[in-house]
Amino acid sequence: MGYQVGNIYVIAGVAVVGGGLFGFDISSMSAILGTQAYKCYFNQGDTVDGNCQGPTTGTQGGITAAMPGGSWVGALVSGFISDMFGRKKAIMIGCVIWVIGSTIICASQNIGMLIAGRIINGFCVGIESAQVPVYISEIAPPTKRGRLVALQQWAITWGILILYYISYGASFVGGGTPQTYSTAVFRIPWGIQMVPAVLLFIAMLFLPESPRWLARKDRWEECHKVLTLVHGHGDPDSPFVLYELNDIRDMCQFEARNSDATYWELFQPKMINRTHIGMFTQIWSQLTGMNVMMYYITYVFGMAGYSGNANLLASSIQYIINVIMTVPALIWLDRWGRRNTMIVGAFLMMVWMFTNAGIMGGQGKVVEGGVHNIPEESMKLTGSAAKGLIACTYLFVASYAPTWGPCSWVYPPELYPLRVRGKAVALATSSNWAFNTALGAFVPPAFANIRYQVYIIFGIFNLAMLIHVIILFPETAGKTLEDSKPPSFPLHQVSKQRLTFVSAAAMFESTGPDSLPYIGTKAWKTKVEYQSMARKEKGEVTKDKLEAMEHEEHSPEPAEKV
């Protein structure tokens, strides 16, 4: 097997560079589309007062949407690639595709070539965004799984920030007029974005494969070695290693009685609720409106009175906020849990969206043809109204960063059993990209035509997701992934004291008094189970005690104890 890294933080830190590629792609467009170099090279309109108009509104929407469109296809295909070749190799395949796409983008001679390159890059991002969370969730210990998978979101924010400032620096190359602009303004950042993919490919050679995937392929010796390396600190007889190995074996034996997973299985009665929750986690993460704040933030600041490099610099502050405010989730997400975090995030984002709508609707002045002759900058705000718009925009980002940003990647892999996890997470992630594609095309003409009402639409979406999470999204924090297998006893027969060791996703199989048909345990009856799992991981529970607990866990208690 050669040398392999065993430190779980190093493993996660390397793998999430795949998420950073998504962030690079966001900035490669948001920081570029306002520059004269980009507008003049891909100009489809007239030159007004020495300034190029750039691609038309519809064309720009198509250019932006090309990447998430490719990501939608890549996410769907990633399930097959991951199940066939492994989580690790799927990530490496994505790196190769990214380099190809970035090369085409960097060398773009026209809009068609740019769109083709962005579709290819998107295909890579679809693979990485679906399979990096699966890889990390399958190799991470339960009490660290949330923070480690959340590193994916942190890597995205760093990718956005780093390439944004690279693009900002490149904007000073050449001149700003149609006569003196330099294509290096956009070719430099579009070329530099290849570098992380090359480094990620090389670094992945030294990381272990997912022990869950190895077990599915009957490579038990390798599975045991990876668990020993990552969780046992070199001790193959570590109680927690043996506990996990036994759980994985039980799961594989259960799944061996079933045929290989297909996408159709995800829509069967026993799986449909998990599938709908996983898909809507990703759908809602797009419908929060963060898409507006990332891709088209320069339009918002343009309406608030900023232009040129001043616009780029002011817009970058929100990317710094995004990086900093993701940190609390990395530290406390496993203790906060997923459910409460998403509820709080949805409520706060709803408030800022409706506030922005009120500010623009009440104080904004319609500008025919758009501020700076940019149709998307359809309204102008000054004074305290402009400052309020910017403040609420920053507060929105600060609310998204520690909540829906990381949770949208952490939550879906925890919902599914091993046999369907690769394809299920791929399907959920493809939902993200499908809506990302639609919003990428929708937002520019929406800003141009319905103006402040864009914020009302996203405010309503946040209200709907708040209600949805409260009613149907259960808590999954603090359980092992193997807890997704159905319990061998009625869940309502387990005493409350022992619910600590009852399933995460097996909640969906529950038939007790706190359950609903085809839904399982009522979402508001679930809670974070952190301390008991922490004791298992630290070895505070001996092997004999673990065996006794497992025996007791599967011994039905009288129903009246509940």
Side-chain angles (χ1 to χ4, degrees):
M1 293 174 63
Y3 173 76
Q4 289 189 335
V5 175
N7 186 294
I8 188 61
Y9 289 101
V10 174
I11 293 171
V14 169
V16 297
V17 172
L21 300 181
F22 174 26
F24 268 49
D25 195 275
I26 290 175
S27 283
S28 73
M29 187 51 59
S30 64
I32 294 298
L33 60 82
T35 64
Q36 276 299 300
Y38 173 81
K39 290 181 178 180
C40 290
Y41 193 82
F42 298 104
N43 192 31
Q44 290 184 308
D46 299 326
T47 301
V48 180
D49 298 329
N51 294 316
C52 300
Q53 299 303 293
T56 64
T57 299
T59 300
Q60 184 55 57
I63 293 171
T64 305
M67 190 279 290
S71 299
W72 174 69
V73 178
L76 284 175
V77 173
S78 72
F80 295 101
I81 296 174
S82 178
D83 287 347
M84 184 179 300
F85 299 107
R87 318 312 192 201
K88 173 179 169 179
K89 289 183 180 177
I91 295 171
M92 296 172 72
I93 290 170
C95 293
V96 175
I97 296 172
W98 177 267
V99 172
I100 295 171
S102 296
T103 301
I104 295 173
I105 291 173
C106 184
S108 293
Q109 302 299 305
N110 50 55
I111 290 175
M113 193 172 176
L114 176 60
I115 289 176
R118 283 180 60 78
I119 290 174
I120 294 172
N121 261 19
F123 193 86
C124 157
V125 171
I127 294 174
E128 307 289 33
S129 61
Q131 298 310 315
V132 167
V134 171
Y135 173 70
I136 297 176
S137 66
E138 290 187 347
I139 204 168
T143 59
K144 296 182 178 67
R145 190 170 61 235
R147 73 174 62 169
L148 293 172
V149 178
L151 283 173
Q152 160 113 332
Q153 178 63 21
W154 205 39
I156 292 172
T157 65
W158 273 108
I160 294 170
L161 184 65
I162 290 170
L163 198 69
Y164 195 91
Y165 277 117
I166 290 174
S167 301
Y168 176 72
S171 69
F172 292 97
V173 177
T177 68
Q179 293 75 28
T180 60
Y181 76 83
S182 170
T183 60
V185 168
F186 52 83
R187 296 201 194 280
I188 288 175
W190 289 352
I192 287 176
Q193 68 180 359
M194 298 183 213
V195 175
V198 175
L199 297 178
L200 175 60
F201 182 91
I202 295 171
M204 287 299 297
L205 295 172
F206 301 98
L207 301 192
E209 180 55 88
S210 159
R212 271 79 178 176
W213 183 82
L214 291 170
R216 277 212 71 202
K217 299 298 180 180
D218 287 326
R219 294 160 63 174
W220 288 101
E221 184 177 348
E222 292 175 70
C223 172
H224 193 179
K225 286 181 179 178
V226 172
L227 291 174
T228 299
L229 176 69
V230 180
H231 298 170
H233 306 291
D235 179 10
D237 296 320
S238 163
F240 186 63
V241 168
L242 297 179
Y243 170 78
E244 278 200 297
L245 192 64
N246 182 65
D247 258 13
I248 295 171
R249 183 174 286 109
D250 287 347
M251 170 61 82
C252 288
Q253 289 174 353
F254 171 78
E255 293 181 343
R257 297 193 291 270
N258 299 276
S259 59
D260 287 338
T262 63
Y263 278 116
W264 173 245
E265 180 182 346
L266 299 175
F267 296 94
Q268 297 300 310
K270 287 188 177 181
M271 198 64 66
I272 185 66
N273 189 40
R274 304 182 215 197
T275 300
H276 123 266
I277 292 173
M279 292 179 68
F280 266 94
T281 300
Q282 292 285 6
I283 290 171
W284 287 133
S285 74
Q286 284 299 312
L287 295 181
T288 58
M290 191 62 170
N291 180 286
V292 178
M293 306 304 177
M294 289 293 128
Y295 286 116
Y296 302 114
I297 189 61
T298 55
Y299 295 153
V300 177
F301 280 84
M303 288 186 277
Y306 290 86
S307 61
N309 287 329
N311 188 326
L312 290 176
L313 198 57
S315 301
S316 71
I317 294 175
Q318 69 149 0
Y319 299 132
I320 297 173
I321 292 172
N322 200 16
V323 169
I324 294 173
M325 290 304 296
T326 303
V327 174
L330 303 181
I331 299 173
W332 294 300
L333 183 58
D334 287 304
R335 293 179 181 271
W336 290 346
R338 323 310 185 214
R339 173 181 163 81
N340 290 336
T341 301
M342 290 189 283
I343 289 173
V344 171
F347 175 78
L348 292 175
M349 290 185 290
M350 175 188 68
V351 170
W352 306 131
M353 279 295 180
F354 283 137
T355 303
N356 264 358
I359 292 172
M360 289 188 70
Q363 301 296 320
K365 295 181 180 180
V366 176
V367 179
E368 295 299 332
V371 181
H372 310 121
N373 294 309
I374 300 173
E376 293 84 359
E377 298 178 10
S378 56
M379 302 186 76
K380 183 177 180 63
L381 295 96
T382 58
S384 59
K387 293 177 182 177
L389 180 70
I390 293 172
C392 287
T393 299
Y394 288 156
L395 288 169
F396 177 92
V397 174
S399 301
Y400 176 89
T403 58
W404 279 85
C407 278
S408 63
W409 301 114
V410 173
Y411 195 55
E414 297 178 333
L415 300 172
Y416 307 101
L418 173 62
R419 188 168 56 89
V420 300
R421 187 175 300 130
K423 290 185 176 67
V425 175
L427 180 64
T429 307
S430 73
S431 304
N432 177 305
W433 295 116
F435 277 78
N436 194 313
T437 304
L439 289 172
F442 162 78
V443 171
F447 266 137
N449 294 295
I450 63 174
R451 305 181 182 98
Y452 73 90
Q453 295 173 30
V454 172
Y455 287 106
I456 295 178
I457 291 173
F458 285 113
I460 292 172
F461 283 146
N462 278 285
L463 173 60
M465 65 192 271
L466 172 63
I467 296 170
H468 193 187
V469 173
I470 290 173
I471 295 175
L472 286 174
F473 282 44
E475 183 56 68
T476 58
K479 290 91 172 177
T480 67
L481 293 178
E482 280 62 51
D483 283 335
S484 57
K485 65 179 181 291
S488 57
F489 52 89
L491 203 57
H492 68 275
Q493 291 184 359
V494 183
S495 66
K496 289 181 179 178
Q497 290 74 19
R498 286 191 288 144
L499 279 175
T500 293
F501 299 103
V502 175
S503 89
M507 295 180 291
F508 296 102
E509 301 283 342
S510 174
T511 58
D514 287 335
S515 305
L516 297 171
Y518 301 109
I519 291 178
T521 305
K522 297 170 184 174
W524 58 92
K525 294 287 186 179
T526 59
K527 62 180 181 178
V528 179
E529 302 292 354
Y530 180 85
Q531 296 299 332
S532 56
M533 188 56 67
R535 294 203 315 274
K536 283 186 178 183
E537 290 181 13
K538 292 177 181 177
E540 293 178 10
V541 183
T542 65
K543 281 186 283 187
D544 292 341
K545 183 66 175 175
L546 276 175
E547 291 174 1
M549 283 182 172
E550 292 306 305
H551 176 73
E552 181 186 7
E553 178 183 346
H554 292 83
S555 300
E557 287 281 338
E560 59 267 22
K561 285 194 176 184
V562 177

